[in-house]
Amino acid sequence: MAIDASILVLNGPNLNMLGVREPHIYGATTLDDLEALCQERAEQLGLSIDFRQSNHEGELVSWIQESRTDHDGIVINAGAYTHTSIAILDALTLSERPVIEVHLSNIYKRETFRHHSYISAVAQGVICGFGPQGYLMALDAMAQIVGRD
Ligand code: DQA
């Protein structure tokens, strides 16, 4: 089945350190491993993905702005910017693209400052606590969303 849709999979700060960063919370999977898993699932679903990571808020904002014309949906793990960035919220709003928010860890089981997400306000859905599997769940859901068009 060819859906022929392009999905931006966006990763925020410190996610380039997956595999070495607090493995008891984030696991042993590296960002490269995660990208390979996502590519494999995307191929099965007939999606093309543009998998990116940045430690810089402005760069994430610019990429989200570009998705308005370049992509059909956004899967985003904004890392700590989830809890702080109105700029990313605004960019997601203006993108007018379906958004799925992902976190590797269950942010509601952790410190209270992680319980609030600016992104959830514009997300179609939120997946957290399932590790890398959460990204694959998000791609499955995104295939449904963009396939409905
Ligand atoms: C995270 C959770 C955030 O609170 C944290 O700042 C991250 C990763 C997650 O994937 O579980 O960087 O988004």
Side-chain angles (χ1 to χ4, degrees):
M1 156 242 342
I3 296 176
D4 194 25
S6 167
I7 308 303
L8 179 62
V9 182
L10 208 49
N11 295 279
N14 299 307
L15 292 168
N16 56 315
M17 300 302 287
L18 285 178
V20 292
R21 173 191 186 196
E22 300 175 276
H24 57 291
I25 296 175
Y26 297 113
T29 304
T30 66
L31 193 66
D32 283 349
D33 295 337
L34 189 54
E35 178 170 6
L37 290 169
C38 287
Q39 289 289 2
E40 190 184 10
R41 179 60 62 96
E43 271 167 40
Q44 291 163 359
L45 292 166
L47 299 175
S48 75
I49 59 166
D50 190 357
F51 189 98
R52 300 190 194 182
Q53 188 275 332
S54 178
N55 292 324
H56 303 280
E57 185 175 17
E59 188 163 45
L60 293 163
V61 166
S62 295
W63 287 343
I64 295 166
Q65 288 178 3
E66 287 165 17
S67 73
R68 198 182 152 85
T69 49
D70 296 356
H71 300 99
D72 301 295
I74 302 171
V75 172
I76 182 166
N77 180 355
Y81 288 143
T82 303
H83 318 297
T84 63
S85 180
I86 297 169
I88 289 178
L89 166 64
D90 286 348
L92 289 168
T93 302
L94 74 81
S95 79
E96 296 180 352
R97 294 285 163 254
V99 173
I100 300 179
E101 176 181 354
V102 176
H103 301 283
L104 294 157
S105 64
N106 180 353
I107 55 175
Y108 301 103
K109 242 169 91 174
R110 302 182 62 195
E111 304 95 321
T112 50
F113 62 81
R114 295 184 204 276
H115 295 182
H116 177 260
S117 162
Y118 281 102
I119 290 167
S120 299
V122 289
Q124 189 132 349
V126 182
I127 298 167
C128 75
F130 295 100
Q133 181 68 25
Y135 282 66
L136 306 183
M137 294 161 81
L139 289 173
D140 289 347
M142 191 58 88
Q144 295 273 322
I145 293 166
V146 298
R148 272 205 299 261
D149 284 349

